[in-house]
Amino acid sequence: MDTRSLKKRGWFGGASELVFVFLILMLIGTLLVADQFFTGSIPGARETVRLDWVALAGMAGGGTILFLSAAVLGLRAKVAKLKKKHKKVVAQFERDALTGALNREKFITATKAVLEARGRKRFAALFLVDIDHFKQVNDTYGHPAGDRVLSFFAQKLEASFPDGWVGRLGGDEFAVFIEHSDPITAAFAQKRCSEFVEQLTQGINIGTQRLTVSASIGIAMAPGHGKTWGALVANADMALYASKKNGRARSTLYAEAMLTDVRNEKTLMRELRAAILLKQLRVAYQPIVNVDGKLVAYEALLRWHHNLRGVIPPDVFIPVAERAGLIGDIGFYVFRQVCQDLEKLPHVSVNVNTSANQIAASDLIDGLVEILNDTGADPRRIVLEVTESASLICNADNAERLSSLQAHGFRIALDDFGMGYSEFNQLRMLPFDIIKIDKSFVNSLGSDLVTDVFVSAVVEISRRSGKSVVAEGIETEDDRLRALAAGCDCLQGYLYGKPEFLPDIETAPLRKATIDAEKSTRAVA
């Protein structure tokens, strides 16, 4: 048996001290046997052997004590090493492996413990922090890029809140908890958040691109906004929701009125579901004309006249529908109504708004085809307007869905172009037939160099690729002239007509501005 096998069996490992003691005991036993042998067989040797035995026993005992002392010290070192290793393992278990932030369980447990033990003279603040449009990063650049953004985000949180605990609650959701003996003011909390948001603007390099990162933050403070974890996280979550609702890239402190807003929205969600089932939503049509002022299309716009609340604007109930998961139902509702109205409308195409979330839905094409079969409508008369936004991801899946819609006869328009996040990349990757330039760009034409260059580039790209450009928000003669000078093919806005319901379209033809536009066009020519 060699030393390697002995080590594997522990003889030279943790049991070496026991082996040594065993050997010492064997030596002592041997000496005792020798003592009996010599003293019994050799006359006069008893005293000599006894002295030798005492000396040997003393030496053995001293060696044993020395070895056992060394063994104890070695054992203590091993215990300390094991404790250190255990502490490291526990710390790793409590930390998120990717970002180094506290994991959800540890963060919540530690925060709850502090809040439960908090005395009257202790104050705290909870910050819920979400990465804006993180799904777009993953879908556009891939998950490795998303991981880099998460790590960058956590590092900036740690740097901006050095006196707080930073935790990753899941996905792109983070939290920060600060405790202090002095009251934490709203100004202090929001200043910290502003510094953090400013730090994020440094961005991160993803390949050859510089990706800007932003965050939405909700703040709740103890004891004013709650004394328990449940109360604080609920109120911070409402504040976070307000930050997202108001445009993201900002922080919001919880206020009592938010609770009322949330209750009102839940009520509105229920009433919107009822309105869809009872067919209380109506479709109005706004004209789109060419450069000569001739009608070439309509845009279908949804209207909701509530029995008690009166007219509820689309910019109020459409975001609610998005958050309630009703936008798909509303999309099919409008599409069916348009298909039923096609025979009664002038023989032009009709633009139907379709959200990016609907485009990503797996049941979109089957649902549209089913409605076409039910109504007998011609898809060649329908343009699907897809809002150009952060959620309209330039990936192969969306491009394939849009191409499939085109194959079924639909045309595709990019709506509100210029208000999103990856404009020219969309022109390159997504199949489309029409671009609709947002009215904010039309209003700035001639007075802002960047706008002039942007619109000119879009028009030139469209012209070379055989697409058409529609200028939205044409409300004045100056708007019309600017859009024509920029090279837009079609115009839409109150100058040519407001949205009208189907029964009113025949009695409300294009406004007199159309005739004036025709005269002005001929005069310019």
Side-chain angles (χ1 to χ4, degrees):
M1 184 179 294
D2 60 13
T3 56
R4 285 177 297 179
S5 62
L6 286 174
K7 286 181 180 179
K8 288 180 182 177
R9 296 175 58 179
W11 290 90
F12 286 82
S16 58
E17 296 87 351
L18 294 176
V19 173
F20 184 79
V21 171
F22 178 71
L23 292 174
I24 293 297
L25 291 174
M26 286 183 64
L27 177 61
I28 294 172
T30 303
L31 290 173
L32 289 174
V33 171
D35 177 62
Q36 292 296 323
F37 175 77
F38 285 112
T39 54
S41 60
I42 303 174
R46 181 179 298 274
E47 294 300 323
T48 303
V49 171
R50 184 171 297 167
L51 291 174
D52 292 342
W53 157 243
V54 171
L56 287 171
M59 291 172 62
T64 303
I65 292 171
L66 287 174
F67 184 84
L68 289 176
S69 299
V72 169
L73 292 174
L75 249 140
R76 287 181 178 177
K78 288 181 180 179
V79 170
K81 187 177 180 180
L82 284 172
K83 284 183 177 180
K84 187 176 180 181
K85 187 175 181 180
H86 177 264
K87 187 176 181 181
K88 185 177 180 181
V89 170
V90 170
Q92 289 176 342
F93 179 74
E94 293 175 345
R95 295 277 174 178
D96 176 60
L98 176 64
T99 64
L102 295 174
N103 63 28
R104 179 184 180 87
E105 182 180 357
K106 176 61 179 177
F107 182 87
I108 293 176
T109 301
T111 303
K112 281 183 176 179
V114 170
L115 290 172
E116 289 171 1
R118 183 183 58 82
R120 293 183 178 181
K121 295 184 179 181
R122 303 295 295 179
F123 303 88
L126 177 66
F127 304 78
L128 294 185
V129 191
D130 280 9
I131 303 176
D132 292 334
H133 310 302
F134 181 68
K135 185 178 183 298
Q136 182 193 13
V137 176
N138 274 336
D139 291 344
T140 305
Y141 302 101
H143 289 281
D147 289 347
R148 288 189 58 197
V149 170
L150 288 169
S151 297
F152 167 78
F153 196 84
Q155 289 169 8
K156 295 303 179 185
L157 271 178
E158 294 278 5
S160 300
F161 297 90
D163 52 347
W165 295 339
V166 175
R168 184 183 178 194
L169 303 186
D172 62 338
E173 302 171 359
F174 290 80
V176 178
F177 182 76
I178 294 177
E179 186 195 17
H180 208 278
S181 58
D182 296 325
I184 301 174
T185 65
F188 170 82
Q190 291 183 323
K191 181 182 178 183
R192 283 289 188 90
C193 292
S194 297
E195 292 171 351
F196 167 64
V197 172
E198 181 65 25
Q199 286 284 319
L200 292 179
T201 60
Q202 296 174 10
I204 181 173
N205 288 325
I206 303 295
T208 59
Q209 299 187 33
R210 189 72 175 172
L211 182 64
T212 301
V213 182
S214 65
S216 297
I217 308 170
I219 311 167
M221 297 191 290
H225 301 150
K227 299 178 181 179
T228 65
W229 163 258
L232 276 184
V233 75
N235 292 337
D237 192 53
M238 279 189 274
L240 173 62
Y241 168 78
S243 290
K244 293 182 177 181
K245 185 178 178 181
N246 293 326
R248 303 178 186 266
R250 67 188 65 212
S251 63
T252 304
L253 184 68
Y254 170 76
E256 292 285 344
M258 291 179 185
L259 187 58
T260 303
D261 291 341
V262 170
R263 288 171 178 167
N264 287 340
E265 178 160 316
K266 289 182 178 178
T267 301
L268 196 63
M269 286 180 184
R270 291 194 297 268
E271 293 174 345
L272 183 56
R273 286 191 179 93
I276 294 171
L277 292 173
L278 299 174
K279 302 187 185 321
Q280 294 176 342
L281 304 177
R282 301 183 66 190
V283 177
Y285 298 92
Q286 185 174 32
I288 301 172
V289 304
N290 62 14
V291 294
D292 296 323
K294 180 183 177 182
L295 178 70
V296 294
Y298 284 105
E299 181 179 357
L301 299 167
L302 193 61
R303 297 292 181 261
W304 183 14
H305 189 282
H306 193 280
N307 291 333
L308 298 177
R309 301 173 186 254
V311 176
I312 300 178
D315 59 356
V316 172
F317 71 82
I318 291 298
V320 171
E322 291 272 10
R323 290 188 288 270
L326 296 173
I327 198 65
D329 295 335
I330 287 179
F332 288 134
Y333 179 100
V334 173
F335 185 79
R336 181 176 292 277
Q337 187 61 57
V338 168
C339 289
Q340 292 171 347
D341 291 346
L342 275 179
E343 290 186 356
K344 304 170 189 176
L345 288 166
H347 196 76
V348 295
S349 60
V350 178
N351 294 19
V352 180
N353 287 287
T354 308
S355 75
N357 289 335
Q358 286 176 273
I359 294 296
S362 59
D363 64 342
L364 174 67
I365 296 176
D366 290 341
L368 297 181
V369 171
E370 181 181 349
I371 294 172
L372 289 175
N373 293 335
D374 291 345
T375 59
D378 184 356
R380 292 173 297 180
R381 287 187 61 191
I382 297 175
V383 177
L384 298 177
E385 288 193 9
V386 185
T387 302
E388 188 264 349
S389 66
S391 52
L392 181 60
I393 309 302
C394 300
N395 58 27
D397 291 338
N398 281 342
E400 184 179 349
R401 286 194 178 94
L402 292 176
S403 295
S404 181
L405 288 168
Q406 288 176 324
H408 281 83
F410 299 105
R411 284 180 290 162
I412 305 296
L414 294 181
D415 191 21
D416 293 336
F417 194 78
M419 297 303 291
Y421 299 83
S422 54
E423 297 87 0
F424 286 104
N425 197 32
Q426 288 177 334
L427 296 184
R428 184 174 61 85
M429 294 188 64
L430 299 178
F432 67 96
D433 303 283
I434 300 166
I435 295 177
K436 300 187 73 176
I437 297 179
D438 186 75
K439 64 180 181 179
S440 62
F441 286 91
V442 175
N443 295 337
S444 299
L445 282 170
S447 60
D448 181 74
L449 179 61
V450 174
T451 298
D452 292 345
V453 172
F454 175 79
V455 174
S456 297
V458 171
V459 170
E460 185 63 23
I461 291 171
S462 301
R463 179 178 290 115
R464 291 190 176 220
S465 57
K467 319 298 183 184
S468 60
V469 179
V470 179
E472 297 182 297
I474 306 299
E475 299 180 358
T476 67
E477 181 67 11
D478 287 342
D479 291 339
R480 185 185 73 84
L481 292 175
R482 283 195 296 267
L484 293 177
C488 296
D489 304 300
C490 298
L491 311 169
Q492 178 183 354
Y494 273 50
L495 183 65
Y496 298 99
K498 64 179 183 178
E500 300 282 0
F501 297 116
L502 183 62
D504 302 324
I505 285 180
E506 291 184 0
T507 59
L510 293 180
R511 295 169 58 186
K512 184 176 180 296
T514 304
I515 301 173
D516 294 339
E518 290 178 349
K519 291 180 180 178
S520 299
T521 302
R522 287 194 293 270
V524 170

